[in-house]
Amino acid sequence: FAELAAEGFPFVYLDQLHEDAPGDFVGVDNVAASFGATEHLLGLGFEAVAFVHKNAALEAAPSSVRERLRGYRAALAAYGRPFDPAWLV
């Protein structure tokens, strides 16, 4: 990165920021996005909303997945719905 930055090469990072690297960052607020998506489905009257992810173990999942899970759980709580691990698919 340092060599390219010294030459004026522009950097734009998508979704993950590399520490100490020059450039701009474009990302999403994963918590808010997941909250909004879950809220929308609950607002439409769905009684159960699953959280679907590709990682076998959430503790090993990327931070974006864990953030989305936080948003999902927050929306369930806001609507008075219990969190059920069985709905983690």
Side-chain angles (χ1 to χ4, degrees), residues 26-66:
V26 177
V28 65
D29 181 336
N30 288 299
V31 176
S34 182
F35 183 99
T38 305
E39 178 180 48
H40 177 72
L41 293 171
L42 293 172
L44 290 174
F46 289 95
E47 292 296 318
V49 178
F51 182 85
V52 181
H53 59 96
K54 67 179 183 174
N55 301 87
L58 280 170
E59 53 277 349
S63 61
S64 58
V65 173
R66 293 189 308 272

Side-chain angles (χ1 to χ4, degrees), residues 6-21:
E7 294 179 24
F9 193 85
F11 290 89
V12 177
Y13 301 94
L14 303 175
D15 197 36
Q16 292 186 346
L17 181 62
H18 296 271
E19 270 189 49
D20 300 325

